[in-house]
Amino acid sequence: QVMESGGGSVPAGGSLRLSCAVSGYPDDSWCVAWFRQAPEKEREGVATIDSSGVPIYTDSVKGRFTISRDNAKKTLYLQMNNLRPEDTASYYCAAGEAGSWYLCNTFPDPDPLATWGQGTQVTVSS
């Protein structure tokens, strides 16, 4: 199971922290990635942490977004600072199968076996 939270509406320059809680993973081998989709635009990968623990970001969010994970809580966080109107989108997290790092190591390519959350809306006003 995958569940996002933390979306909302902020003015440009504001901050939000998204959370993605996963369940059903027996150990720390769980891989989750953040994606987003704006109206009339294709889905794009935002950030993830690969199997070596290296954070990966799409260019447009580098320096503004920070991804982190809490293995004890099995939660992935996305701290978003200095938000821009172009960050407005529905944000989704996708989780790979237990023990598989395919999603994170091939990011931003989608993993057809990933489980997706319902999404959380982020709206940034100018």
Side-chain angles (χ1 to χ4, degrees), residues 36-59:
R36 66 184 179 186
Q37 187 165 20
E40 301 181 344
K41 291 188 176 181
E42 292 187 356
R43 184 178 62 197
E44 68 167 338
V46 178
T48 191
I49 299 174
D50 71 14
S51 57
S52 298
V54 177
I56 304 171
Y57 302 95
T58 191
D59 286 345

Side-chain angles (χ1 to χ4, degrees), residues 6-11 15-16 83 121-125:
S9 297
V10 296
S15 298
L16 286 171
L83 282 160
Q121 179 66 34
V122 171
T123 303
V124 185
S125 58

